[in-house]
Amino acid sequence: MTASITFHAADVPTPLTQRTAIKHWLQSVAKKEKCTISHIAYIFCSDEYLHNINVKFLKHDTLTDIITFDYSEGKILNGEIYISTQRVKDNAAVYGASYIHELCRVLVHGLLHLSGYNDKTKTEKESMRQREEYHLGALFE
């Protein structure tokens, strides 16, 4: 099976410049999580675009930085990951991170959701954040 990771722009420019390197990193994340990527589509969009998805599909009338639609079967990852570049930019400022660092955090966050991680409870959020930090370390060290 050939791993397919694609990046798309819904209504904003695609913010990634080193796509090949990011794809290799995401594939290594999946491997470390003992998963195989079938197809993951990352779609970059505005707050408004993602808000509409949040209301329509999840019935949540709130802004968010990411929504993951998981079509995976077991450890074979397949999904669509929508990312608001406006939220990523704002969150980077709030957390004192660079835009690219926060963007990569969100990219890996979506992949971790597909890998079986959740972030509904405090414990789940802590576990998810630890995995994000672990995988970001491989990219930014």
Side-chain angles (χ1 to χ4, degrees), residues 25-59:
W25 171 64
L26 291 168
Q27 288 170 358
S28 75
V29 168
K31 187 175 182 179
K32 288 176 184 174
E33 294 297 334
K34 298 179 177 34
C35 295
T36 304
I37 295 173
S38 173
H39 180 72
I40 300 174
Y42 287 94
I43 302 97
F44 300 104
C45 57
S46 66
D47 274 348
E48 181 182 2
Y49 190 97
L50 196 54
H51 179 255
N52 288 336
I53 290 173
N54 210 7
V55 169
K56 181 176 180 180
F57 294 100
L58 302 177
K59 309 298 187 235

Side-chain angles (χ1 to χ4, degrees), residues 105 108-109 112 128-136:
R105 175 183 305 286
V108 78
H109 183 91
L112 289 170
M128 175 78 86
R129 183 52 59 116
Q130 287 173 352
R131 295 311 291 165
E132 290 170 5
E133 291 297 330
Y134 170 75
H135 293 302
L136 284 167

Side-chain angles (χ1 to χ4, degrees), residues 64-141:
T64 187
D65 54 353
I66 183 171
I67 294 176
T68 303
F69 291 99
D70 187 356
Y71 311 123
S72 302
E73 294 183 15
K75 293 292 187 175
I76 308 297
L77 307 185
N78 189 1
E80 296 173 359
I81 300 172
Y82 292 82
I83 297 172
S84 166
T85 57
Q86 289 169 281
R87 282 299 99 222
V88 170
K89 182 179 178 185
D90 290 352
N91 288 343
V94 168
Y95 299 125
S98 71
Y99 176 76
I100 191 66
H101 191 274
E102 187 62 20
L103 181 62
C104 288
R105 175 183 305 286
V106 176
L107 291 170
V108 78
H109 183 91
L111 191 147
L112 289 170
H113 271 305
L114 297 178
S115 301
Y117 288 87
N118 291 310
D119 56 3
K120 300 286 186 212
T121 68
K122 183 180 177 187
T123 302
E124 288 174 341
K125 285 179 185 176
E126 289 171 0
S127 179
M128 175 78 86
R129 183 52 59 116
Q130 287 173 352
R131 295 311 291 165
E132 290 170 5
E133 291 297 330
Y134 170 75
H135 293 302
L136 284 167
L139 184 63
F140 287 103
E141 286 183 355

